[in-house]
Every structure is written in C-alpha cells, then in structure tokens.
Amino acid sequence: MSVLILHRNPFAAFPYRRWLDGDAPGLDGGTPYAGDIVVLAARDKIELAGEEIPGDTGHDFTHLELFDTLDDEAVPARAFALAEEYRITHVIAHHEADVVLAAQLRERLGLDGAWSADIKPFRDKALMKRLARQAGIEVAPHTVPGTAQQARDFAEQHGFPVVLKDRAGYNSIGLSILADRDELEPRLARAYRDGSRDDLLIEAYVPGRMCHVDGLVVDGRTVAAWPSQYQYELASFGADPGPRVDLTLDVDDPLTPRLLALVERTLAALKPEGGRLRTHAFHAEVFHTPDDRLVLCEIAGRSGGAKIREVFETLFGIQLAVQVTRAEAGLPLPVVEGTTDDGAPLRPRCMAGQVLTMKRPGLVRSLPAAPDEEWVKGFWLFAEEGQVIAPASGSADFLTAAVGSAPTRVECERRLRALGARIISETKIVERPGDADATPAPHEQGTEPAEAS
C-alpha cells in the first residue's frame, strides 16, 4: 500500500506517520506503515501558523512536495503524476477544499474510497439543499442567481436580510449577510462585474442560534455523534473582539435527540444506496429558530474546523482525524470497531466545548500563558509576541483556542467564559498606522484562513 496526502493545514496537528503506524490512543501501535507516504502540502498554511518549512530531511515522509498554495492550477496534474510514480493505492484529504480533487484522483485511478458522485452532494450547496428538501428536511428558501437581477428579484420576493455565499464555500469565506439594498448593490457589482455566473447561492436569512452536529460514520453506520451550539455568529469573525464560546448540548436537552435524528436523515438523503462514501467524519450546521424549528444550513462529509476534533476526542476518546486518515489509507480502526453490542452510537462521557479568539491586525505585545487547570484539555496560540499579524481572514483564523470539559453544559460554559475573559485580558495587540484600513468589512471576506480545516 502507498498513500498520497493532500495537506492544506499546519503540520503540528497532523502526525501522519504516527497515525499510520498505529501510534495513537486506541490503535494497535508497533506496526510501522510499510508503504510510501507522499505528501503535497500548502506552504502558505505552514508559514501562517508560524511553523518552520520542512527541508529535504525535516520530515518523515517518503516524499514531500510544497506548493505556495494548493489552489495552484498545477496541483491536480502534479498529484496525478506522483500517484502514478509511487503507485499510490489510497488518497487522503482532510480539508474541504481538497476532498473533490482526492475523489477525482481515486476515480481516475480506480482506487478505494469516495469518488466524485459521492462527494458532490456535500460540496455543492444547491444540490445538497435540493436533496435534503426532497427528503422532507427544511432548508432556507434559496436560488442560484445567474445574474445580478436574479439576485435582486430573490431579495425583493423574500425580503432582507439575505445571505450571499459561494456555492462550494467553507469557513464563511466569501459569505455576506446583506441587511438592505444599499448593502446588496455593491456586493452584486463586485460579484457580477465579469457577467453571469452559476457558482453563487443566495438564500433567505434564518433567525436563531446555529447548532452543529459532529460525528463519525464507519462502514455506513454512525458510531458516535453529538450536537453543540455556537454562542456567537460565525460570520462575525472580522468584527468580533471577544471570546467565542462553542458548547455541547446536555444529554437531556430536548434539542439533542432532534438534532441527531435530523442529521441521520440528512446523511441518508445525501448518500445513495451503494455509494462509496462508507467511512467518514461529518460536520452539520443547523439553525434552531425562535419558533423551535430546525432548519438545515449545510453539512460537510469531513470533520469540523476550529478545535472540534479535540472536543470530539474529549467527549468520546475518538480523534476524528486519526480515524479518517486510517480509513482513507485502508487501515483498521480498532478504537471504534465493535464499540457497542447493540449497534447504538456511543454516548459522551462528559460535556465539552471550546473558546476561541480571532486574529486582529497589529503588533502582538503580549499573549496569555497556557492555562494549567485540569479541565483544560488543550490550548493553542497562533501568533508569537513581537509578531505583526493581519486581521482574521475567515471564521477559522484564530489567535488562540482552548478546549475544556465539565460534567454539565452549565459548568462547562462557566469555565470557558471565565477562561475566555482571562485570555482577552492577557492579550495585547497594538494597532500600527494603517492597520485600521486593513480590517475586513464585517460579514465578508475573500481569502482563506491560515488555520482552516
């Protein structure tokens, strides 16, 4: 066996060699991976995380090749050439932007794993919403506006606010929440300056709190899944100076079974019988409206960003990235195989959540010390003192991140909010002349975050 990995993240959180060797909690260990490990990586993501760029010998892969960005139009051809050269048998991709290319490579080479038709319902938001609606799942009114006038007509019919987003977008990149015609018109002028297009989606704004459900499917069966609720607006990343808290829902919360059932129906709607997408993570986002409706926003067939993987590990003892890496490499998953005798999904062993702060432009004068409380399960800094940083470029472009746990949601929220306040108080970023002009407009951004996942 041999694997080709498309890697659009910093390397620190993805020790592929260890995972493939089985050197992780719940794995067999001591069984070195015998095949080639070939990696195509994004230099920009490594540099923006402050990591050192690996040299010819600074890694443990068979072959590492770096592109300035994996959006380079030469990447697909180079990936295919490497797949042929190293006789690749499996393709691994964790980032939303790379799962389509991974599927195309598998299909072209006749390899195991998801092919293009399996991935498309999770990447094409218009198709996703159509399939969900056909299954009786509520989605927001929406259309694919080919022209600016069609977008205006939609706004006139459904009223403001409206949401304009990329049909295959992620991490809120390029997403605009437009309050009125004065905000809509300049956005349309930019979007359609080159004429008609079919890669945008406009939808009615859905009020309410955004929930998300994250889980792991193994051989077509959901073995673990749990809902959480964002305590902030995802699209406010460019203007949010405070801590952003995200919390799991309690076992006895009435929303918990409703969200889990909705996501199971959604997965069934998007995955036709006999499909090749059998083992994968998922990240679904669902609006809970003030009148108690659940409205599907979207679902991805990969694990969530931020520190959702670490929150999931705190809940279940399962690291999603490890399981997906091994599954896509054709290796066993001992930590989840035979998890329950009756086939029911696992239940969480505690409540958990994350608290995040976003980057803002300026000179970093001071950053918080790592917390030493036992309930803090992880803490990450994405800048260094003395560094000049740019503003957040997406909803996953963090300055700090922390994961915590508690017996109940209420206690978890109390702990995370106190920690978030401490992080803010210990962080000092000094604006420099011109920094204010570089701050992105609220609700809109067009470049990709350094820490996207």
Side-chain angles (χ1 to χ4, degrees), residues 102-133:
Q104 291 170 343
L105 289 168
R106 296 187 196 107
E107 188 167 2
R108 184 172 178 182
L109 296 166
L111 305 180
D112 289 340
W115 288 8
S116 299
D118 305 297
I119 294 298
K120 188 174 182 181
F122 292 90
R123 290 295 294 122
D124 182 343
K125 298 181 194 302
L127 174 60
M128 176 193 303
K129 291 174 186 291
R130 176 167 62 82
L131 292 173
R133 188 166 54 190

Side-chain angles (χ1 to χ4, degrees), residues 3-24 27 33 37-41 60-61 64 92-95 98 309 321-322 324-326 328-329 331:
V3 296
L4 172 64
I5 301 172
L6 304 175
H7 184 74
R8 192 187 294 249
N9 282 297
F11 271 120
F14 293 85
Y16 291 112
R17 170 69 71 175
R18 284 180 42 219
W19 293 350
L20 294 171
D21 286 347
D23 182 14
L27 301 180
Y33 183 75
I37 302 176
V38 180
V39 180
L40 269 180
D60 54 6
F61 309 127
L64 171 65
I92 296 169
H94 287 286
H95 197 287
D98 301 319
R309 288 183 291 263
V322 176
V324 172
T325 295
R326 290 181 62 84
E328 293 188 343
L331 297 172

Side-chain angles (χ1 to χ4, degrees), residues 311-327:
V311 170
F312 197 86
E313 184 175 12
T314 301
L315 291 177
F316 296 108
I318 297 173
Q319 224 293 352
L320 289 171
V322 176
Q323 305 304 316
V324 172
T325 295
R326 290 181 62 84

Side-chain angles (χ1 to χ4, degrees), residues 236-274:
S236 68
F237 63 85
D240 190 349
R244 293 156 72 90
V245 174
D246 177 27
L247 295 162
T248 53
L249 298 185
D250 278 319
V251 172
D252 58 357
D253 191 309
L255 272 182
T256 294
R258 293 174 60 194
L259 286 164
L260 292 173
L262 177 70
V263 169
E264 283 298 300
R265 291 172 56 206
T266 303
L267 289 171
L270 269 56
K271 295 166 62 176
E273 191 71 29

Side-chain angles (χ1 to χ4, degrees), residues 364-432:
V364 180
R365 285 282 177 83
S366 64
L367 290 168
D372 57 6
E373 291 91 336
E374 179 275 335
W375 57 267
V376 177
K377 303 304 180 182
F379 180 72
W380 297 265
L381 294 173
F382 300 103
E384 297 178 353
E385 293 181 359
Q387 181 181 1
V388 176
I389 59 174
S393 55
S395 64
D397 198 2
F398 313 116
L399 179 65
T400 69
V403 169
S405 67
T408 66
R409 171 193 167 100
V410 169
E411 177 61 14
C412 194
E413 180 170 12
R414 186 195 67 77
R415 290 174 174 180
L416 288 174
R417 290 200 181 281
L419 177 58
R422 193 168 84 211
I423 289 170
I424 292 295
S425 70
E426 295 177 0
T427 300
K428 185 174 183 181
I429 298 177
V430 180
E431 285 192 10
R432 303 184 310 152

Side-chain angles (χ1 to χ4, degrees), residues 34-337:
D36 292 324
I37 302 176
V38 180
V39 180
L40 269 180
R43 184 187 300 272
D44 56 349
K45 298 296 172 278
I46 301 169
E47 290 178 337
L48 285 171
E51 292 183 6
E52 185 175 347
I53 300 295
D56 292 339
T57 60
H59 59 82
D60 54 6
F61 309 127
T62 307
H63 178 81
L64 171 65
E65 200 159 313
L66 295 166
F67 277 78
D68 288 342
T69 169
L70 287 193
D71 294 321
D72 191 313
E73 61 183 15
V75 166
R78 185 58 185 150
F80 181 71
L82 288 171
E84 288 195 314
E85 178 182 351
Y86 287 91
R87 298 183 180 182
I88 294 299
T89 59
H90 296 83
V91 181
I92 296 169
H94 287 286
H95 197 287
E96 187 80 348
D98 301 319
V99 294
V100 171
L101 175 56
Q104 291 170 343
L105 289 168
R106 296 187 196 107
E107 188 167 2
R108 184 172 178 182
L109 296 166
L111 305 180
D112 289 340
W115 288 8
S116 299
D118 305 297
I119 294 298
K120 188 174 182 181
F122 292 90
R123 290 295 294 122
D124 182 343
K125 298 181 194 302
L127 174 60
M128 176 193 303
K129 291 174 186 291
R130 176 167 62 82
L131 292 173
R133 188 166 54 190
Q134 288 174 352
I137 298 164
E138 186 176 358
V139 298
H142 63 278
T143 192
V144 176
T147 65
Q149 187 57 49
Q150 290 175 3
R152 293 188 193 100
D153 292 344
F154 180 90
E156 183 70 23
Q157 178 183 356
H158 294 280
F160 289 94
V162 293
V163 181
L164 192 67
K165 63 175 74 171
D166 291 339
R167 188 168 168 177
Y170 51 87
N171 289 134
S172 300
I173 301 166
L175 181 149
S176 303
I177 300 174
L178 305 163
D180 51 36
R181 186 171 290 277
D182 289 341
E183 290 188 1
L184 176 65
E185 286 303 324
R187 180 69 176 90
L188 294 181
R190 293 193 299 276
Y192 293 95
R193 59 175 173 256
D194 296 324
S196 61
R197 56 194 294 184
D198 64 358
D199 60 339
L200 293 179
L201 189 81
I202 190 169
E203 62 184 24
Y205 181 81
V206 180
R209 185 61 58 80
M210 176 77 84
C211 302
H212 61 96
V213 182
D214 300 276
L216 178 66
V217 175
V218 177
D219 195 24
R221 179 176 73 87
T222 300
V223 298
W226 205 254
S228 301
Q229 193 177 66
Y230 298 116
Q231 306 300 301
Y232 58 89
E233 297 292 334
L234 284 175
S236 68
F237 63 85
D240 190 349
R244 293 156 72 90
V245 174
D246 177 27
L247 295 162
T248 53
L249 298 185
D250 278 319
V251 172
D252 58 357
D253 191 309
L255 272 182
T256 294
R258 293 174 60 194
L259 286 164
L260 292 173
L262 177 70
V263 169
E264 283 298 300
R265 291 172 56 206
T266 303
L267 289 171
L270 269 56
K271 295 166 62 176
E273 191 71 29
R276 302 173 62 92
L277 185 60
R278 300 289 298 165
T279 297
H280 63 94
F282 64 82
H283 173 71
E285 294 180 339
V286 181
F287 297 105
H288 180 221
T289 67
D291 59 353
D292 198 32
R293 291 178 295 121
L294 295 181
V295 181
L296 177 70
C297 177
E298 54 195 57
I299 184 171
R302 45 81 183 169
S303 59
K307 292 302 175 183
I308 285 174
R309 288 183 291 263
E310 287 74 13
V311 170
F312 197 86
E313 184 175 12
T314 301
L315 291 177
F316 296 108
I318 297 173
Q319 224 293 352
L320 289 171
V322 176
Q323 305 304 316
V324 172
T325 295
R326 290 181 62 84
E328 293 188 343
L331 297 172
L333 311 179
V335 75
V336 295
E337 291 172 349

